[in-house]
Amino acid sequence: MTGLPNRLRRALLGGGRPFNPRAAENARGRGVPQGGAGAERAGIPPVGSAGAEAAEPPPLPPTPVELNAGLPPGTAILKVWKDSDAGRESYGLQGVCCCGIALAYQRQPQQVRPSRLTLGDLIHRGDDGESPTKTLIRLRTWSKDASEGLKGFLSEIRRAHGDDVHMIIEDVTGYGLPWELLRHRDKGLAEAWLGALFPIARSVGTPTTVVTRCTGEILTYVAPDMAGDRALLDRFRTTTRDVPLKTLVNVLDTEGDPVSLVYVACHGEYEKTDTPRSKADMRLIEGPRGSEHGISLREIHAHDLLRLEQAGGLVFLNACHSARERVDPDLDNTTLRSFAKVFLDAGASGFIGTMGEVGREHGYDLAKALLETLTDNPDIPVAVALRDYRRRAAAPVVGVPREDDNEAGARLLPFFYAFMYAYFGNPKTTLRPREEIR
């Protein structure tokens, strides 16, 4: 696929007990958290600024629109907006599949913003983290309470196409809803977490790049306490090694040869809102855990990143909280900002980051599995490889544990870490990195 067709783009635009498991001690960050399917097709309402509040749901067009016109085969889209429900924060849903299966705009009482469902605020080393068993039960309950329209939409897609539909999710609410961990179950269909069911490509509203085959050299930064990631890259031809993060960003700011992969393995930081720093402060940490040096989202955003503009490339920030988003009150209180949006706006073909705090060894394991799969199978889309990794991580998770079962909670950490990794960008992006000549 070479980006979404213009016709499609036009249509789319028109309390937990503390849990402190030993397995989570060496994390990649020091984050401090804080209508029925098949209904008559209707046009997706116009979208305002991402994250903007809406007193009323966006109006539907006066005449129905064929939303699936030009949608590539095997692709579906789910749109999520902020909505209002008697003064409560809530969200609206609308979707369509390539074959015409549609989810009419949904406003449901069940779609009120959950107060505790953001993974980065729950699965972490802090004293206010909760047992993963309690989080798992919370997610299963949230999934069962999902609107019948959404559940029916997913069921119809599965019955029509199986489980290999590329699902594009554009969520502009800023609520941090873990769609990859929506559990789907229906009669005659195997139960599955959405992120282990479909290859999911999250969207930040940026038109997808026309470059889907990422080829060329690799640019990297690896923190000194992540030697495994450094060894992982030895088989590839890498251009930058052992340079400061600022230098890496300066390289990306200069036009040059195509880049297949920008790989950063380091710690990440997501500050509390009551710190002296701005509420918008998300940073990649330079050096070992606890270092005060690094580069902020705001600083990277100030660069043009010209290296990605024409050739695309996959950006993989293997750092805690690197896929989270928030507003910047110093600039405005409505626009959602994230590393994903900065790099995709610059021209990246895809982006991988984490929705929370991830164990260091688990981050290495995922990167190793993904890079090996994508290098040995260069025609497999990145979103598919990540979906398959999540499937393997989800396979041992069966049944419902007790909320106070800490042993079960520790066993659930690899599952949650796998699902914290999210892919953004073109759903068909593939990776063809150059291997080192021996």
Side-chain angles (χ1 to χ4, degrees):
M1 186 178 75
T2 57
L4 295 180
N6 289 332
R7 293 177 66 193
L8 174 61
R9 287 203 196 110
R10 287 196 296 270
L12 290 178
L13 291 175
R17 60 184 287 161
F19 184 74
N20 221 347
R22 184 179 305 169
E25 287 180 356
N26 294 317
R28 291 181 174 246
R30 56 175 188 182
V32 191
Q34 313 185 61
E40 181 182 4
R41 297 174 191 146
I44 290 185
V47 181
S49 298
E53 293 285 359
E56 295 295 334
L60 295 177
T63 57
V65 178
E66 292 288 342
L67 292 182
N68 61 319
L71 188 61
T75 306
I77 295 178
L78 179 67
K79 302 272 288 184
V80 191
W81 292 279
K82 277 189 176 181
D83 208 330
S84 62
D85 181 13
R88 296 178 297 178
E89 288 187 309
S90 59
Y91 55 93
L93 300 171
Q94 191 168 12
V96 68
C97 181
C98 59
C99 66
I101 296 170
L103 172 65
Y105 192 79
Q106 296 279 298
R107 298 183 71 199
Q108 298 284 338
Q110 300 98 316
Q111 291 168 195
V112 173
R113 178 183 186 177
S115 60
R116 283 180 63 82
L117 202 61
T118 302
L119 289 182
D121 293 343
L122 299 175
I123 308 296
H124 59 88
R125 300 175 304 107
D127 291 337
D128 55 344
E130 73 175 17
S131 169
T133 56
K134 191 165 187 175
T135 303
L136 182 75
I137 292 170
R138 190 189 306 277
L139 287 163
R140 288 175 65 105
T141 303
W142 172 64
S143 301
K144 294 185 75 172
D145 288 344
S147 72
E148 293 303 317
L150 174 59
K151 290 188 282 190
F153 177 62
L154 297 174
S155 294
E156 285 200 33
I157 290 175
R158 294 183 67 185
R159 291 192 172 99
H161 301 286
D163 295 342
D164 289 321
V165 171
H166 286 266
M167 179 67 70
I168 301 170
I169 298 179
E170 184 172 348
D171 184 337
V172 296
T173 63
Y175 294 165
L177 297 172
W179 293 109
E180 289 81 1
L181 282 166
L182 180 76
R183 181 172 170 268
H184 184 255
R185 180 178 179 274
D186 200 355
K187 186 180 297 184
L189 297 171
E191 65 179 73
W193 303 95
L194 206 60
L197 179 63
F198 299 132
I200 292 179
R202 285 186 174 240
S203 170
V204 293
T206 300
T208 55
T209 175
V210 297
V211 179
T212 58
R213 181 176 294 183
C214 300
T215 61
E217 58 192 8
I218 296 176
L219 306 180
T220 70
Y221 169 80
V222 179
D225 56 346
M226 296 183 183
D229 295 77
R230 189 179 305 278
L232 175 62
L233 298 167
D234 284 344
R235 67 182 285 191
F236 303 108
R237 189 182 308 175
T238 58
T239 303
T240 62
R241 281 178 181 262
D242 303 315
V243 298
L245 279 168
K246 178 63 175 177
T247 300
L248 174 61
V249 173
N250 287 339
V251 171
L252 287 172
D253 221 20
T254 306
E255 292 182 352
D257 294 333
V259 174
S260 61
L261 175 67
V262 178
Y263 182 77
V264 174
C266 67
H267 300 287
E269 185 177 68
Y270 185 85
E271 287 287 349
K272 282 182 177 179
T273 57
D274 58 354
T275 59
R277 294 190 180 123
S278 164
K279 289 194 295 184
D281 198 352
M282 290 188 286
R283 296 196 310 150
L284 301 176
I285 303 302
E286 188 170 286
R289 182 179 177 84
S291 171
E292 293 299 322
H293 301 288
I295 190 166
S296 69
L297 169 62
R298 188 183 288 174
E299 187 175 354
I300 296 176
H301 194 191
H303 288 263
D304 293 324
L305 306 176
L306 299 176
R307 194 71 176 272
L308 304 173
E309 192 170 77
Q310 294 183 350
L314 175 67
V315 177
F316 187 173
L317 300 188
N318 201 354
C320 294
H321 310 291
S322 53
R324 296 184 76 171
E325 57 190 3
R326 66 191 336 169
V327 300
D328 187 337
D330 292 344
L331 298 174
D332 66 74
N333 283 308
T334 59
T335 302
L336 289 174
R337 304 176 189 275
S338 64
F339 289 113
K341 184 168 177 58
V342 165
F343 285 107
L344 291 174
D345 281 352
S349 306
F351 175 92
I352 301 175
T354 75
M355 295 291 189
E357 190 172 281
V358 175
R360 186 168 58 192
E361 292 183 2
H362 295 89
Y364 162 78
D365 289 342
L366 180 139
K368 181 175 185 294
L370 280 189
L371 290 179
E372 289 180 349
T373 296
L374 296 171
T375 303
D376 297 340
N377 305 275
D379 293 324
I380 292 180
V382 177
V384 172
L386 185 54
R387 185 274 311 268
D388 293 346
Y389 183 88
R390 295 195 199 104
R391 279 184 174 176
R392 294 191 294 272
V397 180
V398 294
V400 181
R402 298 192 319 273
E403 287 188 352
D404 59 353
D405 189 340
N406 283 341
E407 289 187 8
R411 291 195 300 270
L412 282 171
L413 283 173
F415 164 76
F416 279 112
Y417 289 154
F419 278 78
M420 280 190 187
Y421 282 85
Y423 172 77
F424 297 73
N426 195 307
K428 294 298 182 68
T429 291
T430 60
L431 179 66
R432 294 170 180 258
R434 294 175 184 169
E435 297 196 63
E436 190 66 76
I437 299 175
R438 302 294 181 183

